[in-house]
Amino acid sequence: DSAVTPPVSVRAHAFLTLGKLCLHDAALAQSCVAVLVRELAPSTEESVEGDIDAVVRSNVLVVLGDLCKQHTGIVERYVPDIARCLQDRSHIVRENALLVISSLLLEGFIRLRGPVFFRMLAAFAIESHPAPNATGSAAAHVRMANNLRHTIFEIFARRDHALLPAHFVETMFVFNDCA
């Protein structure tokens, strides 16, 4: 028996619906968050239009962002998985990841440290100098780089003047794959 995979549009709407239910029931949220996070992993399937599961991942990001605001303790441990989407192959997923993370940071649900900080810096570097085969238009990369620069350097570095100097050495180790 082979499992039938529902169409992407059905899956995308199903995850939004599940998210709405989880917002009102902490026990359901607790049991579903790992399933939602699992859906953030990019599919290996591609269609003529590109990544067919990008809309699903994008919707799951929105759901996880809302759940983090409602049930922070349940979702907080998965924030690095959300931050990993800043380097997704789909430009729309990267943009939604930035919106979700920025919102959570600005509203105080999560803190800018560790994996989130490093993923944002890495995404800024990648978006500032995209590879020739990168997805998304040049204008989209510029917009994303400007949004990341604004979030990291103009909002959070101004709030906490020690943010960048305090993480400088650690950042060099992370970006150079040193243990």
Side-chain angles (χ1 to χ4, degrees):
D1 293 317
S2 63
V4 176
T5 304
V8 173
S9 61
V10 172
R11 289 179 56 228
H13 283 85
F15 283 113
L16 285 176
T17 304
L18 178 62
K20 296 283 185 189
L21 294 171
C22 289
L23 284 172
H24 301 287
D25 186 348
L28 180 62
Q30 178 74 43
S31 63
C32 292
V33 166
V35 172
L36 292 167
V37 170
R38 186 185 68 212
E39 290 298 318
L40 292 178
S43 166
T44 57
E45 298 178 39
E46 290 200 25
S47 69
V48 176
E49 300 86 32
D51 184 359
I52 62 172
D53 284 335
V55 68
V56 172
R57 291 195 312 280
S58 187
N59 284 0
V60 168
L61 279 169
V62 172
V63 166
L64 287 170
D66 290 344
L67 284 175
C68 193
K69 292 175 183 177
Q70 189 74 26
H71 307 292
T72 305
I74 296 171
V75 181
E76 191 172 31
R77 66 181 269 207
Y78 297 106
V79 170
D81 297 297
I82 296 170
R84 189 175 301 119
C85 291
L86 288 168
Q87 294 168 311
D88 194 275
R89 68 178 174 230
S90 167
H91 194 74
I92 192 70
V93 173
R94 292 192 306 267
E95 284 187 353
N96 279 342
L98 178 60
L99 289 172
V100 166
I101 290 170
S102 297
S103 173
L104 293 173
L105 287 165
L106 289 169
E107 295 176 37
F109 291 102
I110 61 173
R111 294 176 49 106
L112 185 58
R113 61 179 173 203
V116 175
F117 179 73
F118 299 127
R119 293 277 183 186
M120 288 185 82
L121 286 177
F124 174 68
I126 291 167
E127 294 292 339
S128 297
H129 305 288
N133 61 347
T135 62
S137 68
H141 286 288
V142 168
R143 184 177 61 247
M144 181 78 170
N146 286 338
N147 289 340
L148 282 158
R149 180 187 49 74
H150 179 76
T151 301
I152 298 167
F153 300 109
E154 293 181 23
I155 295 176
F156 293 104
R158 286 191 182 172
R159 280 188 186 174
D160 179 5
H161 295 290
L163 176 70
L164 297 173
H167 293 290
F168 180 76
V169 173
E170 190 178 10
T171 301
M172 292 299 110
F173 275 90
V174 169
F175 285 168
N176 289 300
D177 287 330
C178 297

